[in-house]
Amino acid sequence: MDALKLINNQIVKEKTCIDDLTKEIVIHTNDGRYGLAADRGRDMQNSIMRIQQPERQKGLYLTAIKFASQGINAEVVKRSVQA
């Protein structure tokens, strides 16, 4: 599976999680379980933060694809972290 497809799958997974959490928040709020609703709100915020990195990666891959279509040799490489 290519990297762009993996990134798209990650994004879809997180968006589905966010949708589910939104529904849970509504259910807990309607039933008066505000603490659980607040917990799900924090979980949703974490999912939103987790979706930002794959979105940035997707942008880099799309830029590389755009350059490749124009005949410019470009590819995305993994970041090397030094300890």
Side-chain angles (χ1 to χ4, degrees):
M1 194 180 294
D2 69 332
L4 194 54
K5 191 167 185 171
L6 287 172
I7 291 169
N8 282 331
N9 287 343
Q10 255 187 305
I11 291 169
V12 168
K13 179 179 145 189
E14 286 299 330
K15 285 183 178 181
T16 302
C17 182
I18 291 167
D19 290 341
D20 291 345
L21 288 167
T22 302
K23 292 173 188 172
E24 277 192 61
I25 290 168
V26 170
I27 291 169
H28 291 312
T29 302
N30 289 339
D31 291 342
R33 295 185 303 253
Y34 302 112
L36 288 174
D39 290 342
R40 297 307 170 264
R42 282 187 289 278
D43 293 342
M44 186 171 61
Q45 186 176 13
N46 290 336
S47 284
I48 290 170
M49 291 188 318
R50 278 194 303 269
I51 206 170
Q52 291 173 336
Q53 181 188 14
E55 287 284 355
R56 285 190 298 270
Q57 287 176 337
K58 182 178 177 180
L60 290 173
Y61 277 98
L62 292 176
T63 300
I65 291 169
K66 176 183 157 192
F67 285 144
S69 70
Q70 296 173 357
I72 300 170
N73 187 16
E75 65 181 82
V76 178
V77 296
K78 290 189 176 191
R79 176 190 281 183
S80 174
V81 178
Q82 295 178 359

